[in-house]
Amino acid sequence: MVDKKIINQVLLEFGLSQKEIKKFEEEAQQSDISLENLLINRGLINKEDFYLALSRRLGIPYLDIANYTIDKEVLSLIPEEACRTLKVFPLFKIGDTLTVVMANPTDVDTIDNLRLKTGLEISPVLASEEDIKNAIDKYYKSVDQSPIEEISQIVSEDKSIEIAEFTEEIKKLEEEASQEPVVKFVNTIISYAVKNRASDIHIEPEENILRVRLRIDGVLHTFTEVAKNMHPAVLSRIKILSRLNIADKLRPQDGQFQMTVDGKKIDFRVSTFPTFWGECAVLRLLDKSSIIIGLGELGFSPENLIKFNTLIKKPYGIILVTGPTGSGKTTTLYSALEAIRSEEKNIITLEDPVEYTLPLIRQIQINPKQGLTFATGLRSVLRQDPDVIMVGEIRDLETAEIAVQAALTGHLVFSTLHTNNAATAVTRLVDIGVEPFLIASSLIGVLAQRLVRKICSACKESYQPKPELLKYLGLEEKTQLFRGKGCEECNNTGYRGRTGIFELLIVDDTIREMILKNKSATEIHHVAVSKGMKTMRDDGFDKVKKGITTVEEVLRVTTLF
């Protein structure tokens, strides 16, 4: 960062007073951004005018690299990690001189460091910190993904690919999808997704490009953007693998296939959907080796683990697991069934779809087209002498009432609801139409959960947070927290892997009485907390204190009740 005095002098030229500068400095510090970025984002100063004025005062040229053609050959001279740490970016090399854009081109130590690292003379140029970061993200990413670039270039240059844009003939679509560059392109995406623990692959056409995004640790990242003319062939290849109708582009389709990647069998659940710019596809990756894990590895606190273990060993009652799509409900349910399955118990599940098969458990795939819904399936399952029943989701009154009757007649029932917290599950059942006295008699517990990203162990570092944050977390003034700096192991995100945060509501006599009196979710929540229930946010903050995740992650996935 350029010396603060020089920046203040430039801002005085723009008409800001010392008092205003000091005020904005304090605000920028609280927001953890630079003063100039705060003013530029607010529209109080023009970005280009500011950096040109700063350039004149420093006597160093300014360059807007957002619109500059980068010489990719020089990227290997300075590693990506060094660029991020030093806030620099190599621009071009002429003879023995390397021109480098810097957020602070007056930093003599950094210039000397770069001279030693590269063995070249360094010619510094001024650029904004934001532009440098964007250039690193863009160009170093493209170096890492050179196999994709190479394949997309081959496909782009192959004019026969474009035939699929103008014909509906199945034979030609199949020929397009079977071409070696297209097969390599799809296989490369799948291989990269599996190696980087992605849960979903998004194939998204736009006006002029085909974008591929991967959901890693619950967050979408752009993997690559390629020429739009690849879109028909890529979608056809995915449809062929999934045994879908490649000629039908106007209706949504669902399919699945299996591939072995790095010795692991991966199931892919595929969904296609027509959009304005063409069909998009989402591939859900299901790794059988990762779904069944012990309850102790899900992220339960010792206290919640004991309570939940006690709950799932009850002889009868309903246990609900709640949370949005992608919050880990299926993993929790499978892990619970794994913990209680035995030769002495008859466990039957109704799922849509059956994602993983489990030994000693009878699993049923819901098929509404054939008349097999959760409700009809559950009614039939009760005649199969079950001890434990898992219903994938309670969606309607009929399913809810049969689940309640099953619990009241001596069965242990697991199911899910889409609610934001544990207490709201009670009112959701009432909204569906279940009588409060039936809920009070059958419901024994509700587990609400979310997934948060874990700090990458390879680049984990401690830092001193602001006093206000420590006070909010109930920590002492000098307590240090942790975060990920960003490295190759975590794709420079600072996070690798996920863990659960939980809120476990045990239905005791007090809560049962509140349900009978039709009390609100808010009232039930407050009473449960007063009786010792830890909220998801508090559970998350405990993991922050232990250095497992960050405050930002917990705030990203939770809300105050």
Side-chain angles (χ1 to χ4, degrees), residues 15-16 59 144 202 215 262 281 320 332 360 470 493 504 514-515 536:
L16 275 75
D144 293 339
H202 290 242
R215 188 177 293 279
D262 291 341
L320 296 175
T332 299
L360 280 179
L470 291 174
T493 61
L504 181 56
M514 295 185 74
I515 295 172
M536 277 185 289

Side-chain angles (χ1 to χ4, degrees), residues 48-60:
E48 186 175 0
D49 291 344
F50 171 79
Y51 280 102
L52 285 172
L54 185 59
S55 167
R56 286 193 298 269
R57 189 165 285 273
L58 295 174
I60 296 173

